[in-house]
Amino acid sequence: MSWDIFCELYQVGARYRNAHIGKCDKLPEHLIDEGIEWCKKPKSLLIHGSSGRGKTYLTYCLLREAMRLYGLHQIRWVKSKALDDQILQAFSQYGTTTDTIRKFSEINLLFIDDFGVDRGSERTERDYYELIDNRWEHMKPTVITTNLTPEHIEKTYGSRIFSRLKDFKWISFEGLPDLRGENQCR
Ligand SMILES: Nc1ncnc2c1ncn2[C@@H]1O[C@H](COP(=O)(O)OP(=O)(O)OP(=O)(O)O)[C@@H](O)[C@H]1O
Ligand SMILES: [Mg+2]
């Protein structure tokens, strides 16, 4: 499937449609290199940092390249909130979240954007634990972006999730400029 068709089908926002790891000049070189390395062998990443630094944009660059190299089969990109909504809906409809969590556990390469927006209830902690534990156990690459600091992740989701996230490669976007508002007339 071409990138353009993918964008139409999955309603990728206009702000991310130009995402391409080969034309990513607003990203520092060491992060582009990380991205290029990742494409050769996708692994679990935790991309963290403040708003507007380009975390989501990078995930689309990675997804686009992964799709080109490995096909779309078994790749999913989902916002954390939408994932949580699906889990909640399954619970209200069927009284169980098992099938939904299994579905997301089995995807070969999963991107979860904005981890931590649905923070901190016992239920989210339990559901995310199950999902992350399943994926961790079967060594399925998961790419997570979040605004939370490492300390907040541990506080919000508990030590069992945090412990598994320690096996992810952590990439910090702290210290980079906020890319939003760059072209605004002041
Ligand atoms: N490498 C890049 N080249 C060109 N534009 C970029 C790049 N990275 C990000 N942008 C643009 O900068 C803006 C902010 O990027 P993005 O949405 O990825 O930030 P974010 O770190 O995910 O922020 P948040 O934490 O608020 O979700 C977007 O409009 C995006 O299109
Ligand atoms: Mg984002």
Side-chain angles (χ1 to χ4, degrees), residues 15-16 24 26-27 50-57 114 147 179-180:
R15 292 191 189 275
Y16 301 111
C24 216
K26 289 197 179 163
L27 205 61
S50 306
S51 262
R53 268 55 182 180
K55 300 181 299 298
T56 299
Y57 194 93
D114 258 345
N147 288 137
L179 296 170
R180 296 204 177 107

Side-chain angles (χ1 to χ4, degrees), residues 15 26 28 56 68 74-75 77 84 92 102-103 105 109 116 138 145-146 153 164 171 173-174 179 183:
R15 292 191 189 275
K26 289 197 179 163
T56 299
R68 189 181 71 81
Q74 286 293 317
I75 302 178
W77 188 104
D84 200 49
S92 66
R102 188 185 302 130
K103 184 179 85 181
S105 299
L109 171 57
H138 296 284
T145 73
T146 185
I153 295 175
R164 284 153 181 80
I171 295 183
F173 273 54
E174 273 325 325
L179 296 170
N183 300 321

